[in-house]
Amino acid sequence: MQFGFLGISYQTADLKMREQAAFTDEKKMEFFHMAEEAGVDQCMILSTCNRSEVFYLFEETDQADQIYRLYQEMFSEADLGQYIRRGQGEETVVYLFRVAAGLESMVAGEDQILGQVKQAFEFSRMMGACKKELNKIVRDALTCAKKIKSELKISEKPLSVGYIGIQKLNETCKIRGKTVLMIGSGTTAALVLQYLQEYGAGKIFLCSRTYAHAGNLQKQMKHLVVVPYHERYQIMKACDIVISATSAPHLVVKSCDFQPQKPLVFLDLAAPRDIDPSFDSDPDTILIHLDTLKEIAEKNQKERIRLVKESDQFIQEAKDETLHWLKISRMDGTIQSLQERCREISEDSYRYLSRKMDLNDREKRLLQKVLHASLQRLLREPIQELKHLDTREEQEAYQKMVHQLFRIEEKERSL
């Protein structure tokens, strides 16, 4: 049995193409059904905004080709051929481990993908498309990802300018309990407002030229106090922190219009600048701007790259353990049959001896244990040999030999 994958991702296809290859739950169920008819009864579909991929276990090369055709037919309206990436064996195990750890994500080390892999795994299990082998591979991938995240903490090196800005702001002036003015109501401002909540900011004022946008944010965050844009200077007098993130082509906070009467920290997240650079020389103010944050982001990016390389060792170790388990799992059926035969012989011998000998209950239990332990000891070395067979050809030859030597009836094998 081999492990394979195919699909598209942000690495091979643009957003428009990825949107055309997105799996709905209904399409996932349909794909599972068609894959089972093709002889592939174990697969997992990972469908996110950045990837549309199928991980599956197969016996014959023809089955892998059928999965490829099914994937193309599922999205026949899109010409996916040149964008589809395929892999199998060790390459696929490594790839899934890297995906789960966020090492194949657009932002290296991001956390969201781990939850998405868990959801894909649970959906596969719910649909009956996950058995022993796929269950083992995916669980090992999730365990490895958690180990990488807990020990290397890649995601704790933020790259988002907004988040880096808030972190820097908190280092400069503890945010908790502080009064803040947020100027702007776009995407960046919305994220910054969420971060301010997480850091425990006190009263938060919001002003924007687009009052409707500010109103929408207020509906989402009831604690916000929306004020008219033209009153921003008056509000600043009561604030400890002023953050600006607008798309204005000019300064929105000018030193000629506002002179701080107490210590004030400015965070300027706009390009071009929103806040007058001359505040940087004012003894009552601290100005944090994009150039400062860019340096931190670049440093974090380099550190993430270093940590991603360091994570390769975790991946390799986990991958080797998983591949070894997959290899010996092919012999599980034979080993189980051998142990069952051992148990049958042990019980037959016990029944015969207990009839011939006058034993009390304690002696009977002891006899039963000795017989079973003796036969298990006899089988221990042969079983270890079976577990260390390297090739499929060797495994099949030994399986046949064991069944003949021990007269074991043919049972379904876990291959």
Side-chain angles (χ1 to χ4, degrees):
M1 181 169 285
Q2 297 189 67
F3 188 45
F5 89 97
L6 60 83
I8 65 172
S9 71
Y10 76 94
Q11 295 167 322
T12 61
D14 60 22
L15 178 59
K16 183 178 179 180
M17 189 61 66
R18 298 199 302 274
E19 288 174 340
Q20 294 180 65
F23 277 94
T24 61
D25 285 351
E26 185 178 350
K27 281 190 173 183
K28 289 178 186 178
M29 290 186 282
E30 183 181 352
F31 191 91
F32 287 147
H33 176 69
M34 292 189 298
E36 188 173 12
E37 288 188 335
V40 176
D41 59 358
Q42 295 193 69
C43 61
M44 178 182 76
I45 297 171
L46 183 59
S47 184
T48 72
C49 59
N50 284 328
R51 61 186 71 250
S52 170
E53 296 173 327
V54 180
F55 296 86
Y56 59 97
L57 285 141
F58 65 100
E59 292 280 2
E60 307 294 339
T61 302
D62 180 60
Q63 291 174 331
D65 292 337
Q66 284 181 286
I67 294 296
Y68 178 71
R69 287 193 292 272
L70 288 176
Y71 184 85
Q72 288 187 301
E73 291 170 6
M74 179 67 67
F75 307 107
S76 57
E77 295 181 1
D79 185 11
L80 297 177
Q82 62 179 312
Y83 303 103
I84 297 176
R85 178 182 171 187
R86 302 175 69 179
Q88 64 183 57
E90 180 176 334
E91 174 193 359
T92 300
V93 175
V94 170
Y95 182 65
L96 177 59
F97 281 34
R98 288 181 60 82
V99 167
L103 306 181
E104 294 287 340
S105 295
M106 195 175 292
V107 177
E110 57 97 1
D111 292 325
Q112 187 178 13
I113 188 64
L114 181 60
Q116 292 168 334
V117 172
K118 287 180 182 177
Q119 290 172 5
F121 178 46
E122 290 302 323
F123 191 87
S124 176
R125 293 179 62 195
M126 182 178 68
M127 297 307 301
C130 180
K131 297 182 180 177
K132 180 178 70 173
E133 291 82 7
L134 184 59
N135 183 77
K136 170 67 174 176
I137 295 169
V138 179
R139 287 192 180 279
D140 283 358
L142 295 173
T143 299
C144 180
K146 290 175 184 176
K147 184 176 182 180
I148 288 172
K149 290 181 183 299
S150 65
E151 296 195 20
L152 299 185
K153 297 179 172 58
I154 298 175
S155 60
E156 292 186 13
K157 304 296 180 183
L159 301 177
S160 160
V161 171
Y163 191 70
I164 292 173
I166 292 297
Q167 281 194 325
K168 182 65 175 177
L169 181 64
N170 193 57
E171 291 173 8
T172 306
C173 164
K174 292 296 182 184
I175 295 172
R176 179 167 296 278
K178 296 295 193 299
T179 301
V180 183
L181 171 63
M182 178 78 232
I183 305 174
S185 56
T187 303
T188 300
L191 287 171
V192 168
L193 288 169
Q194 291 179 9
Y195 298 148
L196 287 172
Q197 280 187 310
E198 292 173 10
Y199 275 82
K203 193 169 187 177
I204 302 177
F205 295 97
L206 172 64
C207 72
S208 170
R209 287 184 183 276
T210 310
Y211 192 83
H213 289 174
N216 289 334
L217 287 175
Q218 188 179 40
K219 290 177 183 177
Q220 299 170 30
M221 305 176 188
K222 301 296 184 183
H223 68 286
L224 290 181
V225 179
V226 176
V227 296
Y229 180 77
H230 65 270
E231 294 182 7
R232 61 192 184 283
Y233 289 120
Q234 186 63 31
I235 297 300
M236 283 183 206
K237 295 178 181 179
C239 293
D240 305 297
I241 298 168
V242 175
I243 305 172
S244 192
T246 77
S247 57
H250 52 72
L251 296 175
V252 299
V253 180
K254 300 177 182 179
S255 60
C256 61
D257 295 328
F258 177 70
Q259 294 297 318
Q261 302 301 311
K262 65 173 187 173
L264 184 64
V265 179
F266 288 107
L267 172 59
D268 189 348
L269 297 174
R273 295 184 184 217
D274 276 348
I275 298 173
D276 197 326
S278 64
F279 281 115
D280 205 15
S281 58
D282 190 317
D284 289 323
T285 64
I286 297 174
L287 174 59
I288 302 169
H289 50 75
L290 285 179
D291 284 347
T292 305
L293 304 181
K294 184 181 178 182
E295 292 175 9
I296 298 172
E298 289 175 349
K299 180 181 177 182
N300 285 353
Q301 175 67 5
K302 290 178 181 177
E303 180 64 6
R304 279 199 178 206
I305 292 171
R306 185 189 70 78
L307 292 173
V308 165
K309 290 180 179 178
E310 190 174 330
S311 69
D312 286 343
Q313 183 63 33
F314 291 84
I315 298 286
Q316 290 301 315
E317 291 175 2
K319 175 264 300 181
D320 289 342
E321 291 178 8
T322 302
L323 289 175
H324 177 69
W325 182 91
L326 286 174
K327 182 179 71 175
I328 66 174
S329 71
R330 297 174 187 156
M331 301 301 292
D332 283 355
T334 298
I335 292 171
Q336 185 177 351
S337 296
L338 199 55
Q339 290 174 330
E340 179 64 21
R341 184 70 177 130
C342 170
R343 187 186 64 79
E344 291 173 359
I345 294 172
S346 173
E347 289 182 356
D348 287 345
S349 299
Y350 168 73
R351 283 193 293 268
Y352 175 79
L353 290 172
S354 62
R355 288 197 302 267
K356 295 292 184 179
M357 303 170 66
D358 185 17
L359 303 173
N360 57 37
D361 289 342
R362 178 181 174 281
E363 291 169 333
K364 287 179 180 179
R365 288 195 298 272
L366 181 61
L367 174 62
Q368 194 173 30
K369 287 181 179 179
V370 169
L371 286 171
H372 182 72
S374 297
L375 287 172
Q376 285 292 327
R377 183 180 176 187
L378 178 65
L379 292 177
R380 187 177 302 145
E381 290 184 1
I383 286 176
Q384 288 301 315
E385 288 296 319
L386 292 175
K387 287 183 177 181
H388 287 87
L389 296 174
D390 289 324
T391 67
R392 188 183 186 88
E393 291 74 18
E394 282 183 315
Q395 289 174 338
E396 290 179 347
Y398 272 76
Q399 283 175 328
K400 184 177 180 181
M401 184 185 302
V402 168
H403 279 73
Q404 288 176 342
L405 288 173
F406 289 87
R407 297 179 181 179
I408 297 171
E409 294 181 359
E410 289 293 330
K411 296 183 179 181
E412 184 178 354
R413 298 176 184 177
S414 301
L415 295 175

